[in-house]
């Protein structure tokens, strides 16, 4: 049995430990093989050496969080502990993509989300593919915000095709930008989690952060920028080729899409599917596939996706059997 004592200096203990020591209780529940005791301004950890080191790492992250934001909630503690499917040794400081507003910790919460983060570090162009709710757009926006904060790029450009999903764009009120805003709302929602309101407004006014329909990308060279193309399954072959050839020096590009939700007219091929086929063997391009297992919305969303996937598999099987009988 090994013991380590952490002395908390200049820290208001009730706020750090939480109401009824809830923050420390969560930590104790995550490491049941060890004892974590708070006395006065000390936290005593008793247990095996490897686990004590892991607990010490978590407490240091919590102290850094408290120093940065001035508060610590049980939800914050859970964020640092609950990185599904990732060994704790890997789930430390480098797992946090960016600290959002009001102490929000934004980090990958599934193995495939982590693969997306790693792919974006290693490659200048990444395709992130998967159904709704897998966090592909949210993680991509977080990576863009981190790159801007770290001064790795000078601007963020986020775009998506203005394709109607059953609605008629022309009947919506307002000018073009106002008509397009509902289509871009998921992007705004993500940014509002990550950038303070006043700074976000300033960034948009000075075009440090630009959100625009895909048609506005034509003829431009996107350099010193982190560029995100969202809903890429709704691009045509010409559109996605145009977009891909906009890449300039020191630019990072993430393309997200859900190949099961194409809103293009019937018989219009998705440019995303064609691009994946053509670029599959090109070095320097990362492709990450997310699935229903990565869904982080309501648990019913995961069940809905799995049901649709099963239905599609049955249709494909029936089509295959029908084709086989005809050939026979």
């Amino acid at each position: 049995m090994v013991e380590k004592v952490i002395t908390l200096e200049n820290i208001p203990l009730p706020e750090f430990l939480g109401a009824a020591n809830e923050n420390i209780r969560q930590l104790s529940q995550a490491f049941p093989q060890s004892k974590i005791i708070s006395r006065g301004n000390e936290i005593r950890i008793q247990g095996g050496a490897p686990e004590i080191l892991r607990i010490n790492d978590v407490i240091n992250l919590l102290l850094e969080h408290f120093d940065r934001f001035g508060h610590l909630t049980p939800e914050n503690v859970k964020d640092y502990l609950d990185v599904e499917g990732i060994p704790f040794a890997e789930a430390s400081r480098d797992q946090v993509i960016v600290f959002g507003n009001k102490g929000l910790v934004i980090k990958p919460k599934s193995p495939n989300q982590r693969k997306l983060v790693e792919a974006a570090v290693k490659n200048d162009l990444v395709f992130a593919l998967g159904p709704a709710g897998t966090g592909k757009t949210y993680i991509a926006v977080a990576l863009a915000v981190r790159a801007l904060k770290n001064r790795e790029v000078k601007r963020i450009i986020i775009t998506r095709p203005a394709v109607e999903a059953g609605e008629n764009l022309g009947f919506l009120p307002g000018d073009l930008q106002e008509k397009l805003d509902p289509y871009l709302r998921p992007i705004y929602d993500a940014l509002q989690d990550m950038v303070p309101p006043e700074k976000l407004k300033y960034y948009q006014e000075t075009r440090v952060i630009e959100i625009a329909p895909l048609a506005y990308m034509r003829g431009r060279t996107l350099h010193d920028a982190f560029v995100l193309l969202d809903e890429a399954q709704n691009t045509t072959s010409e559109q996605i080729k145009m977009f891909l050839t906009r890449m300039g020096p020191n630019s990072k590009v993430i393309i997200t899409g859900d190949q099961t939700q194409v809103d293009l007219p019937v018989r219009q091929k998705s440019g995303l599917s064609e691009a994946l086929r053509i670029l599959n063997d090109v070095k320097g391009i990362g492709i990450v596939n997310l699935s229903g297992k990565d869904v982080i919305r309501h648990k019913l969303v995961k069940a809905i996706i799995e049901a649709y996937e099963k239905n599609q598999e049955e249709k494909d099987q029936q089509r295959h059997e029908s084709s086989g009988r005809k050939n026979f």
Side-chain angles (χ1 to χ4, degrees):
M1 178 79 68
V2 179
E3 180 176 89
K4 179 176 179 60
V5 178
I6 299 175
T7 302
L8 304 179
E9 298 179 353
N10 302 317
I11 297 277
L13 293 181
E15 295 179 31
F16 181 77
L17 299 177
N21 288 349
E22 179 59 28
N23 295 337
I24 292 299
R25 185 178 292 110
Q26 278 207 42
L27 202 57
S28 297
Q29 290 173 350
F31 298 97
Q33 303 302 316
S34 300
K35 287 185 177 180
I36 305 174
I37 307 164
S38 61
R39 288 179 180 168
N41 66 335
E42 293 181 344
I43 296 178
R44 293 180 177 271
I45 313 167
Q46 299 172 348
E51 191 158 278
I52 282 182
L53 291 174
R54 294 165 66 188
I55 296 170
N56 183 69
D57 286 343
V58 175
I59 291 176
N60 284 334
L61 285 171
L62 297 179
L63 287 168
E64 179 182 317
H65 178 101
F66 189 88
D67 182 63
R68 183 187 294 254
F69 299 108
H71 62 84
L72 184 69
T73 68
E75 289 74 21
N76 297 146
V77 177
K78 185 176 184 299
D79 279 334
Y80 285 102
L81 291 170
D82 186 20
V83 183
E84 181 183 348
I86 301 172
F88 183 83
E90 300 174 24
S92 57
R93 191 185 317 274
D94 64 332
Q95 280 294 299
V96 178
I97 302 173
V98 68
F99 290 97
N101 296 328
K102 299 180 181 178
L104 180 65
V105 179
I106 298 166
K107 63 189 341 182
K109 292 187 176 180
S110 74
N112 285 328
Q113 286 188 2
R114 178 172 170 79
K115 286 180 182 178
L116 174 54
V117 173
E118 292 173 346
V121 171
K122 296 175 182 177
N123 302 281
D124 288 337
L125 172 59
V126 176
F127 288 89
L129 313 171
T134 52
K136 56 189 183 296
T137 299
Y138 197 81
I139 293 294
V141 173
L143 289 167
V145 171
R146 181 176 71 175
L148 183 65
K149 286 187 174 182
N150 292 344
R151 298 184 180 180
E152 296 167 11
V153 297
K154 294 181 180 178
R155 54 187 174 150
I156 295 172
I157 299 172
I158 303 175
T159 185
R160 68 192 304 187
V163 175
E164 303 165 49
E167 300 92 356
N168 191 326
L169 203 63
F171 286 99
L172 293 175
D175 58 21
L176 178 60
Q177 190 60 49
E178 290 171 328
K179 290 175 188 287
L180 290 168
D181 275 352
Y183 293 86
L184 300 169
R185 179 46 52 189
I187 306 296
Y188 288 115
D189 290 344
L191 285 170
Q192 286 166 0
D193 278 353
M194 303 172 198
V195 183
E198 289 301 317
K199 184 168 283 189
L200 179 58
K201 181 180 179 182
Y202 170 77
Y203 280 158
Q204 289 186 262
E205 289 174 350
T206 57
R207 302 181 73 82
V208 172
I209 295 180
E210 180 182 353
I211 306 173
L214 182 58
Y216 287 18
M217 299 299 109
R218 188 173 299 277
R220 301 176 60 180
T221 300
L222 308 177
H223 55 82
D224 294 317
F226 199 113
V227 189
L228 167 60
L229 170 57
D230 194 34
E231 299 287 351
Q233 75 275 4
N234 289 327
T235 59
T236 64
S237 299
E238 294 77 13
Q239 285 175 327
I240 200 164
K241 180 182 177 183
M242 175 274 293
F243 174 80
L244 288 168
T245 54
R246 299 305 95 199
M247 287 183 69
N250 190 39
S251 62
K252 282 267 189 183
V253 175
I254 295 182
I255 296 174
T256 68
D258 177 2
Q259 292 171 284
T260 68
Q261 290 192 350
V262 177
D263 297 316
L264 291 169
V266 179
R267 297 179 183 174
Q268 174 74 66
K269 290 183 178 180
S270 169
L272 175 61
S273 299
E274 183 178 74
L276 290 168
R277 177 178 57 80
I278 294 172
L279 303 175
N280 185 56
D281 297 323
V282 176
K283 292 182 179 180
I285 297 177
I287 299 176
V288 179
N289 289 285
L290 297 98
S291 69
K293 294 179 181 179
D294 300 294
V295 170
I296 55 175
R297 292 181 182 171
H298 193 286
K299 61 183 179 181
L300 277 177
V301 176
K302 184 180 294 188
I304 290 167
I305 290 171
E306 289 173 352
Y308 271 91
E309 288 177 346
K310 182 180 178 182
N311 180 65
Q312 186 60 48
E313 289 173 2
E314 291 173 353
K315 284 184 177 179
D316 292 342
Q317 180 65 28
Q318 291 172 2
R319 192 179 298 112
H320 177 73
E321 291 173 356
S322 176
S323 176
R325 285 195 294 270
K326 287 180 181 178
N327 291 334
F328 181 77

